[in-house]
C-alpha cells in the first residue's frame, strides 16, 4: 500500500482513511460534561448574521427554562462575548476549563475569554485553530446542558470540517442574507452538510427586510429574496426571516442581547426544542 497523501484518488481501497466511518472522528466531551443536544449555526460566507442568530437562539431557549451553552468556534472572529457583555476571563481548575456564564446563565466559551486583550488578533494556522475548537469540546466542563449552540466560522474549510467530524451534531441551522450571490454560497453549505450526513434543521434569512418607519411597509433592501427557492430545492423549511432593526443591533453593541424583544425566531426555537422529544 502506498503512503497516504490525503488525496483519496491516490489511495487504494485498503487505505485506513477509506475504512474509517464518520463516527470514528468524533471526540469525546470532557468526562464531567453532560450535553444533550448540539446544534451548529453555519453560513457559507461571513457577515450574514451567524453570531447574531446563535446569540438570539441561546437567549430564547434560556427563556424557555433550558440550560444553554454556546461554543464559539469562530476563533479568528469571535463576537459572542461582546454581544453578551462578557468581560471576565475563563478560568481553569485541576479538572478542566470552566465556561463563563452570562447574566441569565448561558454557559459560554470563546477564544476572547482566554486572551488578555479582546482586540488581539488570532493569527494562527488552520490546524491550530481546529485544535482549539476541539479543546473547547474536550477540555471545557459543560454542566448539564440541554442545548449547545456552536457558532461556526464561515465557509467550508478546516474548522467547519473539524466541527462536523469531531462534534456529535444533532443538526445545523444555515444562515443567509437575500443577495443572489449568497444563494449560491448557501447551497455550498447545504451540500457540505448533506455530504457529511448532518441533518439540516432549516434556513434563517437575516437582513431580510426593513420596515418603513412611516407606513410600516416591508422594504427589501437587498432585492427579492431567494431563500424560498433554496428551501424548496433542498426540501428544507425557512425557520425565520429577520429584519433590519437598530434596536437589536444596538443591544448587541451594548452587550445586552439578553434583553432583546422580538418573535422572529420563535419557530426556529420550536424546531430546536423538538429535538428533545
Amino acid at each position: 500500500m502506498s503512503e497516504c497523501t490525503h488525496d483519496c484518488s491516490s489511495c487504494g481501497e485498503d487505505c485506513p482513511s477509506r475504512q474509517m466511518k464518520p463516527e470514528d472522528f468524533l471526540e469525546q466531551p470532557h468526562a464531567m460534561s453532560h450535553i444533550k443536544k448540539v446544534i451548529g449555526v453555519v453560513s457559507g460566507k461571513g457577515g450574514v448574521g451567524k453570531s447574531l442568530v446563535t446569540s438570539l437562539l441561546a437567549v430564547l431557549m434560556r427563556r424557555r427554562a433550558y440550560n444553554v451553552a454556546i461554543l464559539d468556534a469562530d476563533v479568528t472572529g469571535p463576537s459572542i462575548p461582546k454581544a453578551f457583555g462578557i468581560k471576565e476571563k475563563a478560568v481553569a481548575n485541576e479538572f478542566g476549563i470552566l465556561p463563563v456564564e452570562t447574566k441569565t446563565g448561558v454557559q459560554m466559551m470563546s477564544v476572547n475569554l482566554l486572551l488578555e486583550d479582546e482586540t488581539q488578533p488570532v493569527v494562527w494556522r488552520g490546524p491550530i485553530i481546529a485544535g482549539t475548537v476541539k479543546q473547547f469540546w474536550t477540555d471545557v466542563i459543560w454542566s448539564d446542558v440541554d442545548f449547545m449552540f456552536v457558532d461556526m466560522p464561515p465557509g467550508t474549510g478546516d474548522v467547519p470540517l473539524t466541527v462536523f467530524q469531531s462534534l456529535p451534531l444533532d443538526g445545523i441551522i444555515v444562515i443567509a442574507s437575500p443577495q443572489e450571490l449568497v444563494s449560491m454560497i448557501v447551497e455550498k453549505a447545504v451540500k457540505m452538510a448533506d455530504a457529511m450526513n448532518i441533518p439540516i434543521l432549516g434556513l434563517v434569512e437575516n437582513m431580510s427586510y426593513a420596515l418603513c418607519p412611516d407606513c410600516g411597509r416591508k422594504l427589501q433592501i437587498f432585492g427579492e429574496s431567494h431563500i424560498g427557492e433554496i428551501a424548496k430545492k433542498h426540501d428544507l423549511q425557512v425557520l425565520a426571516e429577520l429584519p433590519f432593526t437598530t434596536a437589536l443591533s444596538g443591544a448587541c453593541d451594548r452587550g445586552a442581547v439578553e434583553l432583546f424583544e422580538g418573535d422572529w425566531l420563535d419557530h426556529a426555537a420550536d424546531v430546536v426544542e423538538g429535538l428533545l422529544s
Side-chain angles (χ1 to χ4, degrees):
M1 182 185 70
S2 61
E3 182 181 356
C4 182
T5 64
H6 301 290
D7 175 7
C8 288
S9 64
S10 69
C11 299
E13 290 297 325
D14 56 345
C15 174
S17 294
R18 284 182 177 264
Q19 307 303 318
M20 298 183 76
K21 299 177 181 179
E23 55 267 25
D24 294 331
F25 293 97
L26 290 178
E27 298 282 347
Q28 292 299 314
H30 191 285
M32 297 175 66
S33 292
H34 185 256
I35 306 160
K36 293 180 181 177
K37 298 297 178 182
V38 183
I39 302 98
V41 183
V42 310
S43 63
K45 68 181 295 294
V48 297
K50 172 179 46 59
S51 297
L52 170 66
V53 173
T54 299
S55 300
L56 295 180
L57 282 173
V59 171
L60 282 174
M61 299 314 294
R62 187 72 189 116
R63 288 178 182 176
R64 297 186 182 195
Y66 291 106
N67 293 329
V68 181
I70 299 176
L71 190 159
D72 189 355
D74 195 354
V75 174
T76 60
S79 56
I80 295 292
K82 171 71 173 177
F84 284 85
I86 299 298
K87 299 293 186 182
E88 63 262 40
K89 303 303 177 184
V91 298
N93 58 26
E94 66 270 29
F95 302 108
I97 304 170
L98 304 177
V100 172
E101 285 199 7
T102 71
K103 297 178 182 66
T104 62
V106 176
Q107 298 176 52
M108 177 189 305
M109 179 52 62
S110 170
V111 73
N112 262 13
L113 303 178
L114 303 173
L115 301 175
E116 290 186 11
D117 179 1
E118 66 177 15
T119 65
Q120 178 183 342
V122 178
V123 188
W124 298 342
R125 294 193 180 275
I128 298 177
I129 296 173
T132 300
V133 172
K134 282 186 182 181
Q135 285 186 289
F136 286 171
W137 175 255
T138 60
D139 295 3
V140 174
I141 303 172
W142 301 100
S143 301
D144 194 24
V145 174
D146 295 309
F147 296 103
M148 172 181 282
F149 295 96
V150 182
D151 184 15
M152 305 265 275
T156 56
D158 281 351
V159 180
L161 181 60
T162 294
V163 174
F164 279 10
Q165 290 183 324
S166 302
L167 273 61
L169 293 173
D170 295 283
I172 66 167
I173 295 173
V174 181
I175 314 302
S177 58
Q179 300 101 312
E180 187 170 356
L181 171 63
V182 173
S183 300
M184 175 192 68
I185 297 172
V186 168
E187 291 204 54
K188 290 181 181 291
V190 169
K191 289 177 180 178
M192 180 181 181
D194 286 340
M196 302 292 293
N197 295 317
I198 304 295
I200 303 172
L201 303 181
L203 310 178
V204 170
E205 185 174 73
N206 188 34
M207 300 178 284
S208 184
Y209 59 90
L211 289 176
C212 174
D214 297 321
C215 66
R217 185 167 63 93
K218 289 185 178 181
L219 306 174
Q220 295 179 315
I221 306 298
F222 290 119
E224 185 179 355
S225 171
H226 298 274
I227 197 74
E229 300 167 18
I230 301 173
K232 183 177 180 180
K233 180 177 180 179
H234 295 280
D235 194 25
L236 300 171
Q237 60 175 318
V238 177
L239 300 177
E241 296 175 69
L242 274 63
F244 280 98
T245 164
T246 56
L248 182 53
S249 60
C252 292
D253 289 342
R254 296 191 307 273
V257 70
E258 288 167 298
L259 301 178
F260 96 95
E261 296 181 4
D263 59 1
W264 313 293
L265 282 166
D266 284 356
H267 176 54
D270 291 340
V271 171
V272 169
E273 190 172 30
L275 293 173
L276 286 180
S277 60

